[in-house]
Amino acid sequence: MQIINAGAEMNLIADQWRRAGHAVGLVPTMGCLHAGHLSLVKLARAAADKIILSVFVNPTQFGPNEDFKQYPRNFERDAALCRDAGVDAVFHPAPPESMYAADHSVWVREDRMSRGLCGASRPGHFTGVLTVVAKLFNITRADVAVFGQKDAQQARLIRRMARDLHCAARIMIAPIVREPDGLAMSSRNAYLAPAERRDALCLMRALQLARRLYREGERDAGRICRSMVEQIQQTPSARIDYAEIVDEATLEPVETMERPILIALAVRIGQTRLIDNLLLPDDRLCNLPPAAQP
Ligand code: AMP
């Protein structure tokens, strides 16, 4: 496995692979890898011959009061996990400034699907994400790129960018990987104190409640949202950032749940902002466990 710091070198190696007839797969990450990230590698492996995993804590997707500085970093451990997972190259841009010229002035901005959900509570976040992913696409010219359903809005925005900017990469979306108790895996779970770790299950439980109500025939999005909010509010440390039901394809809010929809939650547990989501009626990508019997 190669570890590559320079974009130009990464570009050259990926080019050699392609000339040799290999399909190149890309898995972009911010490091601090867990089983969720490794499941993306596995999916990429099934679709491509050479796998590049990028590790880059992208400064432009963090707001001024967000956790860019504290974001967990452990490159040695990440590299070892990548080696075990059969990654061919880890792209670890260094120094970090090499990804952004001091006077950089070009951004990729999406104007429709990025307005709601995390886009509303994290202004500029998705411009940072799309810009860095466009850079990674240009550096690697990947044939396939894999993103997680965990970040449902992000994955759909990247699909939209790939379509609208004619990116060569085919975008694949991988199912949410969860801890045994159902908490969606996230590098930010490391911030949670033990009591907060227990409280964090309120997101999953609210989604389970929404799924139960839906399966019982409820189709009124407002009523399901209110039930989720009431349930989350029973956890005193939880502060809801948003709880919304949107059209799965357009991410526009819906009133009735007649088409495929996405239920998306962002909740702060103490200082830690967590997200989770559920697709209905086909919830396979979300791996939400069955609700415990009362
Ligand atoms: P991050 O390092 O958090 O930026 O995530 C890198 C990629 O891994 C993104 O495409 C995420 O959606 C994906 N990812 C993060 N957590 C999970 C998870 N629990 N299950 C599946 N994919 C995930």
Side-chain angles (χ1 to χ4, degrees), residues 27-37 39-40 56 61 71 146-152 154-155 158 174-178 183-188:
V27 177
T29 82
M30 297 205 297
C32 191
L33 301 181
H34 51 66
H37 297 113
S39 78
L40 271 50
F56 182 59
Q61 70 188 68
Y71 196 85
V146 186
F147 297 86
Q149 171 66 21
K150 164 78 188 344
D151 299 271
Q154 167 177 286
I158 287 163
I176 300 177
V177 175
R178 296 177 182 276
L183 179 68
M185 287 193 180
S186 164
S187 308
R188 289 191 169 98

Side-chain angles (χ1 to χ4, degrees), residues 158-223:
I158 287 163
R159 269 216 168 126
R160 176 59 62 97
M161 174 181 82
R163 187 198 75 176
D164 286 359
L165 298 187
H166 305 268
C167 300
R170 177 162 65 90
I171 310 300
M172 297 174 75
I173 301 183
I176 300 177
V177 175
R178 296 177 182 276
E179 301 286 355
D181 64 2
L183 179 68
M185 287 193 180
S186 164
S187 308
R188 289 191 169 98
N189 292 349
Y191 297 146
L192 298 168
E196 293 175 333
R197 172 66 184 76
R198 281 191 294 279
D199 289 352
L201 291 176
C202 71
L203 285 88
M204 171 203 79
R205 294 212 180 97
L207 295 173
Q208 287 174 325
L209 171 64
R211 181 171 62 184
R212 177 165 67 74
L213 295 171
Y214 180 89
R215 288 184 176 162
E216 287 168 2
E218 180 63 82
R219 290 293 180 272
D220 185 297
R223 274 206 288 270

Side-chain angles (χ1 to χ4, degrees), residues 36-279:
H37 297 113
L38 299 178
S39 78
L40 271 50
V41 171
K42 203 164 164 199
L43 199 62
R45 268 251 149 270
D49 308 305
K50 296 285 186 185
I51 308 303
I52 301 168
L53 183 140
S54 61
V55 174
F56 182 59
V57 184
N58 173 37
T60 65
Q61 70 188 68
F62 289 81
N65 299 317
E66 292 185 354
D67 56 344
F68 174 66
K69 286 228 169 74
Q70 306 96 288
Y71 196 85
R73 293 160 171 89
N74 190 342
F75 185 71
E76 294 310 315
R77 180 176 170 276
D78 290 345
L81 287 169
C82 285
R83 202 167 281 121
D84 292 347
V87 167
D88 296 282
V90 177
F91 178 45
H92 182 48
E97 300 75 41
S98 64
M99 287 293 272
Y100 291 95
D103 59 349
H104 73 93
S105 53
V106 177
W107 299 93
V108 180
R109 197 189 71 207
E110 196 279 344
D111 278 339
R112 192 180 291 263
M113 296 163 70
S114 61
R115 283 186 306 208
L117 306 178
C118 288
S121 38
R122 304 183 70 189
H125 168 67
F126 286 119
T127 297
V129 169
L130 294 178
T131 301
V132 80
V133 171
K135 288 170 185 277
L136 293 169
F137 283 2
N138 285 333
I139 289 168
T140 63
R141 313 253 169 81
D143 299 284
V144 175
V146 186
F147 297 86
Q149 171 66 21
K150 164 78 188 344
D151 299 271
Q153 186 179 19
Q154 167 177 286
R156 282 153 188 80
L157 283 168
I158 287 163
R159 269 216 168 126
R160 176 59 62 97
M161 174 181 82
R163 187 198 75 176
D164 286 359
L165 298 187
H166 305 268
C167 300
R170 177 162 65 90
I171 310 300
M172 297 174 75
I173 301 183
I176 300 177
V177 175
R178 296 177 182 276
E179 301 286 355
D181 64 2
L183 179 68
M185 287 193 180
S186 164
S187 308
R188 289 191 169 98
N189 292 349
Y191 297 146
L192 298 168
E196 293 175 333
R197 172 66 184 76
R198 281 191 294 279
D199 289 352
L201 291 176
C202 71
L203 285 88
M204 171 203 79
R205 294 212 180 97
L207 295 173
Q208 287 174 325
L209 171 64
R211 181 171 62 184
R212 177 165 67 74
L213 295 171
Y214 180 89
R215 288 184 176 162
E216 287 168 2
E218 180 63 82
R219 290 293 180 272
D220 185 297
R223 274 206 288 270
I224 292 193
C225 267
R226 280 191 291 280
S227 301
M228 287 195 300
V229 167
E230 278 165 24
Q231 161 133 350
I232 294 168
Q233 284 170 342
Q234 288 171 21
T235 300
S237 69
R239 286 197 317 286
I240 299 175
D241 187 349
Y242 63 75
E244 284 195 50
I245 303 185
V246 298
D247 183 290
E248 198 240 315
T250 65
L251 304 186
E252 295 286 338
V254 298
E255 287 179 8
T256 55
M257 299 158 71
E258 303 301 347
R259 285 162 300 164
I261 53 93
L262 171 75
I263 306 181
L265 296 180
V267 177
R268 267 173 223 284
I269 305 291
Q271 300 295 313
T272 306
R273 185 176 178 279
L274 300 176
I275 58 173
D276 201 349
N277 67 81
L278 176 65
L279 292 166

